Amino acid sequence: MRNDLLQVAGVKCSSIASGIKKNNALDLSLITLPENSKTAAVFTQNVFCAAPVLLAKNHLQSDVRALLINSGNANAGTGEKGFEHAYQSCQIFADAIDLKPEQILPFSTGVIGQLLPLAPFQENAEKLAEQLSEENMNRVSEGILTTDLVDKCHSETFEFDGKTVTLTGIAKGSGMIRPDMATMLSFIVTDIGASQKQLQACLTQAVNQSFNRITVDGDTSTNDACTLSATNQSGVQLSSCLEIFQKVLNKLTQNLAHKIVRDGEGATKFVEICASGLTTNEDCLEVAYTVAHSPLVKTALFASDANWGRILAAVGRAKVNGLVIEDINIYLNELPIITAGEPDVDYSEEAGGAEMAKADIVICIEMGNTLTSESVWTTDFSYDYVKINAEYRS
């Protein structure tokens, strides 16, 4: 666990092992916000979203003062009873920290289809409240993990009008990653002053260039959520420094998103797929994701096998218009492998294999001359991915 996260004024955190997880690891966390804080959020696009997601969407309209997070149980696919337990967990902690249940946003991550037990909340509410501290964000970054091998956290600052604005974020995610909103879970706090509407606009833009551009396995979780909370403690208002705040927030979210990919279940490669030249950015993104989700491409990446035919085939089956074989150029890092739809005259298997053996790989796919371009970040597909997910509930 790292201790290099910067504290954000007014934010207090705690995390304990409550027994939800079987291995006695940290699994129940609380983040509290001071009065006059504002919170924005984005959630999973999965139609069958979990009970805590439904409840958090409702509570977001209130004066949000706390985030309650458990790992080890997703409370998804649990029907009306699951929704009741999500609300009761908020009620339990509302009593412990003198808030209304509607002021608490609940978040859960873990196994789908199991009802969230209430005993860990009832038995640990007072303890979790007593341990609240401005220094515990690192513990929360550990407490939200499931199959992750490492915690994911990052801080940024910028100066404006002689004052310092701080942003700190944590995230979890390793498998079931193709967010379509954010990530498995991510929580970002800042001491800037802002309205919820302003924060929502900033968060949406940041998410679209970071968490919405990563994929490990193409599966969109039932529980994905990302929040941005502003405590209004820095003396700086977002309206006066919107451009620089957005730039720094974008940097922070992309840092967290890349850490999720690097910690992808069983991953041995960090892969950027850049697609360009089609009529629209949406078409470029569709091609990039088609390549990123191809099991044949991903297994070739794991084997360091420069089987470029798999990449070309994936491009050709993307659901887009305007693909012409003569316009296709494909590169592995700086190495041209396909030029004008044919193997590059200078390409060799040895050179291709050397590029595929690298831990960081960029696959660049040019499909025309239009000034459109989209990148997604993904992983290879290893033996360990199957093992991790086959044994997940054991």
Side-chain angles (χ1 to χ4, degrees), residues 221-285:
S221 166
T222 53
N223 291 62
D224 293 343
C226 178
T227 65
L228 173 61
S229 299
T231 65
N232 194 28
Q233 303 283 302
S234 66
V236 178
Q237 294 299 308
L238 177 55
S239 56
S240 63
C241 59
L242 179 58
E243 184 175 351
I244 186 172
F245 179 84
Q246 187 71 66
K247 181 179 179 180
V248 174
L249 179 63
N250 288 354
K251 181 180 178 181
L252 184 145
T253 55
Q254 195 168 108
N255 178 286
L256 293 174
H258 286 189
K259 286 179 177 177
I260 288 171
V261 174
R262 291 187 182 279
D263 192 33
E265 290 172 343
T268 68
K269 307 283 178 69
F270 178 83
V271 186
E272 178 179 351
I273 299 175
C274 178
S276 64
L278 292 180
T279 304
T280 67
N281 280 78
E282 289 76 14
D283 282 349
C284 292
L285 189 61

Side-chain angles (χ1 to χ4, degrees), residues 147 149 152 173-175 177 216 258-269 379-380 382 385 388:
T147 60
L149 297 179
K152 302 159 185 72
S174 185
I177 299 292
V216 170
H258 286 189
K259 286 179 177 177
I260 288 171
V261 174
R262 291 187 182 279
D263 192 33
E265 290 172 343
T268 68
K269 307 283 178 69
T379 63
D380 57 342
S382 71
Y385 178 86
I388 289 167

Side-chain angles (χ1 to χ4, degrees), residues 28 49 82 117 146 152 180 206 249 258 271 276 323 326 357 360:
L28 188 57
C49 57
T146 50
K152 302 159 185 72
D180 276 340
L249 179 63
H258 286 189
V271 186
S276 64
L323 288 174
E326 289 81 10
D360 286 27

Side-chain angles (χ1 to χ4, degrees), residues 131-147:
Q131 293 185 7
L132 285 168
S133 167
E134 292 185 351
E135 301 176 354
N136 280 340
M137 185 63 85
N138 275 294
R139 284 180 62 83
V140 177
S141 73
E142 180 183 344
I144 64 178
L145 305 182
T146 50
T147 60

Side-chain angles (χ1 to χ4, degrees), residues 36-71:
N36 300 317
S37 296
K38 300 297 180 183
T39 295
V42 288
F43 299 95
T44 179
Q45 297 300 305
N46 193 307
V47 174
F48 301 133
C49 57
V53 171
L54 295 171
L55 192 60
K57 287 181 178 180
N58 292 341
H59 288 190
L60 194 61
Q61 309 310 313
S62 303
D63 174 26
V64 176
R65 294 285 306 283
L67 313 176
L68 177 62
I69 315 144
N70 76 268
S71 56

